[in-house]
Amino acid sequence: MLNLVIFGAPGSGKGTQSEKLIEKYNLAHISTGDVLREEIKKGSDLGKLAKQYIDKGQLVPDEVIIGMLADVLESKKDKAGVIFDGFPRTLAQGAALDKMLKEKKQEVSVVVCLDVDDEELVKRLLQRGRTDDNLETIKSRLEVYKNQTSPLMDYYEKAGKIAHIKGVGSVDEIFAKISEAVDKVQ
Ligand code: AMP
């Protein structure tokens, strides 16, 4: 069972590369951002709560995300593995993921970290045009990434699980490098 975490700042290409990985390796895609946007569309209580944070470029509280992830993970059992996209985003979420996988006698297989500099990230996000892709929110999301999410890089580095991939170039070039890293742990 492959448990792949795709990691990187907002705009680093996690979603794009996830789509390709899902197809090549027959993986279930778990994007916490997509799940939250679905909940917002449905107008659920979770969606209403999440919207308040998403609009400000802040993280939805850990306990909300961790509970939601456990439910989603349960519903994806029929694939060769899972790709976690946009999760974990804090050390607490990373520890919760390890615990959830351990209960199933599994672990994180590899963390693919897409490295892209800030200037390029801002440029890409402004082009994307999602409702949370305005300059003010983007700045806040990049700050949040630096302060709350990037400490996970050390965590996975220490565990010997991280593969740094330069996230600039063509989508296919980047994908080829990611595939190489994934094939090493297969
Ligand atoms: P994304 O689509 O991954 O860029 O996520 C969009 C927004 O959803 C983020 O800016 C957060 O507000 C929220 N979000 C998504 N995933 C998480 C997570 N793992 N922890 C906390 N907030 C999240």
Side-chain angles (χ1 to χ4, degrees), residues 53 59-69 87-94 96 100 148:
Y53 294 93
L59 294 184
V60 176
D62 281 335
E63 61 275 18
V64 175
I65 293 287
I66 291 167
M68 184 181 95
L69 199 275
F87 178 92
R89 256 177 157 104
T90 61
L91 286 169
Q93 291 180 19
M100 273 185 256
Q148 299 183 58

Side-chain angles (χ1 to χ4, degrees), residues 66-160:
I66 291 167
M68 184 181 95
L69 199 275
D71 292 342
V72 179
L73 195 55
E74 269 312 296
S75 69
K76 312 258 183 190
K77 282 181 170 158
D78 52 336
K79 297 278 181 170
V82 178
I83 177 160
F84 297 91
D85 168 8
F87 178 92
R89 256 177 157 104
T90 61
L91 286 169
Q93 291 180 19
L97 178 61
D98 283 350
K99 190 162 165 253
M100 273 185 256
L101 292 176
K102 203 168 173 197
E103 279 162 13
K104 300 163 178 276
K105 302 202 164 38
Q106 292 178 35
E107 60 179 348
V108 169
S109 317
V110 61
V111 179
V112 169
C113 180
L114 295 172
D115 297 321
V116 177
D117 69 39
D118 278 9
E119 203 184 322
E120 173 70 17
L121 291 171
V122 173
K123 203 174 95 190
R124 287 187 193 176
L125 290 167
L126 285 173
Q127 275 169 2
R128 196 167 68 174
R130 226 165 59 187
T131 53
D132 57 343
D133 288 338
N134 57 76
L135 196 53
E136 200 187 331
T137 311
I138 289 170
K139 281 193 179 142
S140 152
R141 280 153 65 207
L142 292 177
E143 268 309 293
V144 164
Y145 177 76
K146 278 197 188 95
N147 297 332
Q148 299 183 58
T149 306
S150 70
L152 272 167
M153 251 195 263
D154 278 347
Y155 177 75
Y156 287 124
E157 191 93 55
K158 284 195 185 110

